[in-house]
Amino acid sequence: MNGSNRLGKESLPTSQQAEHSRYYDTDHEHTDHTYGTGELPHPHIHSEESLRRIVNRLSRIEGHVRGIKTMVQQSTPCPDVLLQIAAVRGALDRVARIVLDEHLTECIGRAAQEGNIDVELKQLKAALDRFLP
């Protein structure tokens, strides 16, 4: 996603900042999809509505994860904690589906119109290799 709605690594706990830096360039706008392929980037443009929808879902997931942390701190029974973890996994999968759908319709569609579909598909495959187990 693009723009000021992104989180920088400074918003992460110190222990996660190094890990975050491995995968994201936090000093620049997110404008490329190279994922180490060495290909030229394309503009990463999405509607404000799409960004708002994804950020809202992620905010709810973030709150849910904090709730699970509280459950653990309060010694909630393990089956209840596992049920909530499963709910978060499902919610993350739904967000991933939205992001993938958006990428296919917007980014892949744009690449097809611009004649660089092969580059975009190569980048998508690299991202999916990292995403899928």
Side-chain angles (χ1 to χ4, degrees):
M1 303 316 138
N2 181 26
S4 61
N5 292 334
R6 67 186 173 92
L7 293 175
K9 86 173 179 182
E10 63 278 352
S11 65
L12 295 172
T14 305
S15 63
Q16 293 177 0
Q17 287 181 11
E19 183 69 16
H20 184 266
S21 296
R22 277 184 50 200
Y23 299 108
Y24 305 101
D25 179 0
T26 57
D27 296 328
H28 299 92
E29 292 294 315
H30 180 150
T31 56
D32 78 56
H33 287 183
T34 57
Y35 303 110
T37 62
E39 302 291 343
L40 294 175
H42 74 273
H44 191 118
I45 303 166
H46 296 279
S47 72
E48 286 299 316
E49 171 65 21
S50 172
L51 291 175
R52 184 192 59 74
R53 190 177 69 204
I54 292 168
V55 168
N56 285 345
R57 283 179 177 260
L58 290 170
S59 293
R60 286 194 303 270
I61 292 167
E62 182 180 31
H64 201 157
V65 169
R66 280 194 308 271
I68 294 170
K69 180 179 175 183
T70 300
M71 290 173 72
V72 171
Q73 290 169 333
Q74 294 174 349
S75 297
T76 301
C78 295
D80 294 343
V81 173
L82 290 171
L83 182 65
Q84 294 307 311
I85 290 171
V88 167
R89 275 187 184 165
L92 280 171
D93 286 345
R94 288 186 292 280
V95 170
R97 170 64 188 192
I98 291 168
V99 170
L100 178 59
D101 184 61
E102 174 109 355
H103 183 70
L104 291 172
T105 58
E106 296 296 324
C107 300
I108 299 289
R110 189 177 314 110
Q113 290 175 345
E114 295 171 359
N116 57 351
I117 190 74
D118 292 334
V119 171
E120 193 64 36
L121 288 175
K122 182 178 178 181
Q123 293 167 353
L124 176 60
K125 287 177 185 178
L128 288 173
D129 284 344
R130 296 188 88 173
F131 176 73
L132 297 173

